Amino acid sequence: MKKLLLFTGIALGGIYYFGQQKLIDIKSIVQQLQFKLLKMYDVKIESSAVKFKVDLSITNPTQQNLAADANGFVTLSKLKYYNLQEEMIGQSNVDVQKIMIAAGETIRFESLETSIPISNVGGAINTILNRFKNPDNIIVKAELTTPAGVYII
């Protein structure tokens, strides 16, 4: 019985260690991903928000492949858009549970529904929309949802 408990403890410890190491590796790659806003279109002004679609690319500049297929445990849930002063100006709700980007490769997301709450826009709708038309004025961050919490990278 003692041997069985010892073997089980060693096995669980090994699984935990390798799982933690994999998480550290993925986090290292994810923190280096480069997000680029490609274009904005189909602008609609509604009572609560300005809504439009965006195309976005994500580049893995590292020499390691990113393969985050965690059976729903890790989900890319939102893309958040910030101005250069790091004030959030809008977001896209996405639901990507399997992220695969080879080393040095780029993937593209098209037609992401994006919204800017009217409360964030105020009287400066044109200024906000012009920022989205010039992708260099936008910082894109990803929101990852895991059982351990929500992380913005």
Side-chain angles (χ1 to χ4, degrees), residues 10-91:
I10 291 171
L12 289 175
I15 291 170
Y16 175 79
Y17 172 77
F18 289 115
Q20 284 293 102
Q21 191 59 45
K22 180 69 174 169
L23 185 60
I24 290 168
D25 293 345
I26 289 173
K27 186 175 179 182
S28 171
I29 297 169
V30 167
Q31 289 176 330
Q32 296 179 60
L33 293 178
Q34 299 167 346
F35 295 86
K36 181 168 183 174
L37 188 63
L38 301 172
K39 73 177 184 177
M40 177 189 89
Y41 52 98
D42 290 345
V43 178
K44 297 176 186 145
I45 299 175
E46 298 180 1
S47 61
S48 62
V50 176
K51 295 186 176 185
F52 50 93
K53 294 181 181 177
V54 297
D55 292 353
L56 176 89
S57 69
I58 303 175
T59 301
N60 177 1
T62 71
Q63 301 207 2
Q64 294 178 293
N65 294 331
L66 173 62
D69 179 9
N71 295 323
F73 289 110
V74 178
T75 302
L76 172 60
S77 52
K78 293 180 185 176
L79 294 170
K80 296 186 174 205
Y81 307 100
Y82 296 82
N83 63 20
L84 296 177
Q85 291 74 39
E86 300 227 8
E87 301 165 327
M88 193 175 100
I89 55 175
Q91 72 181 21

Side-chain angles (χ1 to χ4, degrees), residues 48 87-91 115-124 128 131:
S48 62
E87 301 165 327
M88 193 175 100
I89 55 175
Q91 72 181 21
S115 65
I116 302 172
I118 293 292
S119 60
N120 288 4
V121 177
I128 298 288
R131 285 185 186 151

Side-chain angles (χ1 to χ4, degrees), residues 103-118:
E105 295 291 318
T106 299
I107 62 170
R108 184 176 174 142
F109 290 97
E110 296 181 343
S111 300
L112 295 174
E113 297 284 338
T114 304
S115 65
I116 302 172
I118 293 292

Side-chain angles (χ1 to χ4, degrees), residues 2-12:
K2 284 184 180 182
K3 286 183 182 181
L4 178 62
L5 288 174
L6 180 62
F7 177 72
T8 303
I10 291 171
L12 289 175

